[in-house]
Amino acid sequence: MAAPAAWLSALLLLLLLSGAAGEEDGPKAGKKKKKKDIRDYNDADMARLLEEWEKDDDIEEGDLPEHKRTSPPIDFSKIDASNPENLLKMTKKGKTLMVFVTVSGNPTEKDTEEITSLWQGSLYNANYDVQRFVVGSDRAIFMLRDGSYAWEIKDFLINQDRCADVTVEGQVYPGKAAEKKKNETKPDKKRKDATASQRDNRANKNEL
């Protein structure tokens, strides 16, 4: 009888210990935070999730957001201090930059869409990757992922017949249309000066 009694005591002790462990784990399990449904994520949750992914994944430099990319070192020994554009090119390398362009001749928004689309096509054929946005009846934006090419694109745009002006980093560059209009006003001024001179001559003759 002693052996069965010993087995029964051992079994009861094991059950008591298991129950005690279950009681200890129960409250802790209840305190565990329920995992949030991804459909309930707000902007802050998504931002934290993105940061975790960026930490865990080996993301290439070009795929990082612009503010997290490492700026390329600038070799000032290769910069011509007499040309401020060269310095701007170096500082804008690898950074997004917008070039503003104005179309001449009082165009409609549709005209501007068609004209700037032709310019974008020419730039694309020359291996310049630019995005274009029409922002007014005569105004468009050319956006570049690498701002160091902005001044080369500016040189192309200002030589187009319908380009009134181009703005890069706050600097306004007159286009071909503006230069043409300026030249057309010069003969008018000469004619006015000649007419005034003729009137003066007649007045002098009358006085004599």
Side-chain angles (χ1 to χ4, degrees):
M1 295 292 290
W7 277 105
L8 184 60
S9 298
L11 182 60
L12 289 171
L13 181 61
L14 183 61
L15 290 171
L16 287 171
L17 290 172
S18 299
E23 289 176 2
E24 290 178 2
D25 292 341
K28 290 180 181 178
K31 291 180 181 178
K32 284 184 180 178
K33 189 176 180 182
K34 186 179 179 182
K35 190 173 181 181
K36 194 171 184 180
D37 192 320
I38 194 168
R39 290 172 296 182
D40 298 327
Y41 275 25
N42 54 30
D43 291 341
D45 295 325
M46 294 303 292
R48 282 194 296 270
L49 185 61
L50 181 60
E51 286 180 4
E52 289 175 8
W53 284 344
E54 289 178 355
K55 288 178 184 177
D56 296 337
D57 297 340
D58 185 14
I59 301 176
E60 294 184 4
E61 180 79 14
D63 294 330
L64 286 171
E66 186 171 306
H67 66 279
K68 291 191 175 183
R69 296 177 200 161
T70 304
S71 297
I74 300 174
D75 187 354
F76 289 96
S77 64
K78 295 181 179 179
I79 297 176
D80 182 5
S82 63
N83 189 348
E85 282 189 7
N86 287 336
L87 178 60
L88 286 170
K89 288 179 184 178
M90 297 294 287
T91 57
K92 297 301 177 181
K93 187 173 180 61
K95 296 182 179 180
T96 302
L97 192 144
M98 291 186 291
V99 175
F100 298 85
V101 59
T102 305
V103 178
S104 68
N106 297 320
T108 64
E109 190 166 332
K110 183 180 178 181
D111 294 334
T112 297
E113 174 72 35
E114 293 175 353
I115 293 167
T116 56
S117 176
L118 292 173
W119 295 347
Q120 182 186 23
S122 297
L123 289 168
Y124 179 80
N125 291 335
N127 295 321
Y128 289 103
D129 182 18
V130 296
Q131 291 180 288
R132 177 181 54 88
F133 306 94
V134 175
V135 293
S137 61
D138 63 346
R139 192 85 160 159
I141 295 172
F142 285 82
M143 190 168 73
L144 300 78
R145 292 191 66 182
D146 188 343
S148 63
Y149 294 110
W151 287 266
E152 294 177 23
I153 290 172
K154 176 266 296 180
D155 290 339
F156 165 78
L157 292 173
I158 61 175
N159 283 299
Q160 304 308 303
D161 290 335
R162 293 293 301 275
C163 177
D165 61 61
V166 175
T167 303
V168 183
E169 288 294 280
Q171 178 68 41
V172 180
Y173 302 88
K176 192 172 183 179
E179 291 295 331
K180 184 178 179 182
K181 186 176 181 179
K182 183 179 178 182
N183 292 332
E184 286 175 352
T185 59
K186 288 181 179 179
D188 292 338
K189 187 176 183 300
K190 289 180 179 179
R191 282 196 295 269
K192 288 180 181 178
D193 292 341
T195 303
S197 178
Q198 289 174 359
R199 283 200 302 266
D200 291 340
N201 291 335
R202 284 197 295 268
N204 292 333
K205 288 180 181 179
N206 291 335
E207 288 178 0
L208 294 173

